Amino acid sequence: VPTFDFFAKNYCVCDHWYSSVPLGTQANRLMAMAGESLVLDNAPVLLPDQDLVYDWLTRKNIPWRVYQSGDFLPFFTLMPSWLPEIASSLTLSQMGMGDRFRRFTQFKDDWQSDRPVPKVMFIEPEYTDGPHSEPNDDHAPTDVQPGQRFLADVYNLLTSNPARWSTTLLVVTYDEHGGFFDHMPPMDVPVKVAGVDLSTTGVRVPAFIVSPFVKAGSVFSGSLDHPSI
């Protein structure tokens, strides 16, 4: 994992970052992007509509944007209220325009131009468990190499504009652990998900803070989970 090795040596590792709940992908993704989840298990078709960080940023008049790797759709296409905007915005992105949802292929031009960029950006991989051709999300059985290349591409693009990079903070983490064993116990943090009381977080996940604002080779051992973003 050469990109992670580079991040660890030159930036900051968070070694006590936990998935928010002892559940699967969708519940933890919602915890990261909403601070709460209305689902316990992965939805078979569509997610129930609920407020996301996108809504919060919009209400606060904070510009934001999502860049999607690959040729398919971002995660929140599964939420009916976001489907119309995602579909129309990605269609415009194919023509070199786009609004709040764009293809990752457009990121280089946006970042290196003199045009303003949003204060908050989300960059999504191409997912393994969808109709995708070149997944790079590290989800088994996908090889880790595409994920390492993808993160290297993100980093190299961010640092290609020194002025913008000087005020940037990149957070890299995973929604959940994929079933792997970890010797560190979850945090005893009660949380209610879809009306069910849970007594702990999920297990630890990898997390990096990549930014000029952190000390090279540093480790942050304070307890974090996805709403910490």
Side-chain angles (χ1 to χ4, degrees):
V1 284
T3 304
F4 283 173
D5 183 64
F6 175 81
F7 287 169
K9 288 177 178 175
N10 292 278
Y11 296 101
C12 178
V13 173
C14 300
D15 68 351
H16 283 69
W17 190 304
Y18 294 81
S19 54
S20 295
V21 286
L23 302 170
T25 291
Q26 292 183 3
N28 276 296
R29 189 73 57 88
L30 287 163
M31 292 299 293
M33 300 294 286
E36 63 177 349
S37 171
L38 298 183
V39 299
L40 276 169
D41 299 313
N42 289 347
V45 183
L46 295 174
L47 292 167
D49 286 322
Q50 66 176 83
D51 252 19
L52 302 176
V53 66
Y54 303 157
D55 300 285
W56 184 87
L57 291 167
T58 300
R59 287 194 295 269
K60 298 290 185 180
N61 296 313
I62 300 171
W64 58 271
R65 186 175 295 157
V66 178
Y67 287 95
Q68 170 65 33
S69 176
D71 297 323
F72 201 62
L73 299 170
F75 175 75
F76 283 108
T77 307
L78 294 172
M79 193 169 284
S81 60
W82 284 101
L83 182 55
E85 180 176 350
I86 291 172
S88 61
S89 189
L90 287 180
T91 300
L92 289 171
S93 181
Q94 296 289 73
M95 298 182 286
M97 298 180 284
D99 193 9
R100 297 192 295 193
F101 294 87
R102 301 187 180 190
R103 296 295 181 197
F104 181 67
T105 51
Q106 199 173 342
F107 181 60
K108 180 178 180 179
D109 181 62
D110 291 342
W111 186 256
Q112 293 180 345
S113 74
D114 294 328
R115 298 187 299 273
V117 294
K119 292 180 179 293
V120 180
M121 292 180 285
F122 305 91
I123 301 178
E124 294 194 50
E126 185 169 1
Y127 297 113
T128 299
D129 55 349
H132 304 110
S133 58
E134 297 180 0
N136 53 16
D137 63 347
D138 285 350
H139 193 297
T142 292
D143 195 313
V144 298
Q145 292 182 72
Q148 292 294 292
R149 286 195 298 268
F150 177 54
L151 287 168
D153 288 344
V154 171
Y155 175 79
N156 288 330
L157 284 172
L158 289 174
T159 55
S160 70
N161 187 328
R164 282 184 169 157
W165 172 243
S166 69
T167 60
T168 295
L169 186 147
L170 170 67
V171 179
V172 180
T173 190
Y174 288 73
D175 49 28
E176 41 92 2
H177 66 299
F180 297 106
F181 173 82
D182 183 37
H183 69 287
M184 293 292 293
M187 294 190 293
D188 293 322
V189 178
V191 62
K192 180 171 287 190
V193 177
V196 176
D197 290 316
L198 304 173
S199 58
T200 71
T201 65
V203 303
R204 293 192 304 173
V205 291
F208 301 90
I209 306 298
V210 181
S211 173
F213 297 118
V214 299
K215 183 179 177 182
S218 57
V219 178
F220 181 75
S221 294
S223 295
L224 302 167
D225 73 315
H226 294 332
S228 301
I229 294 171

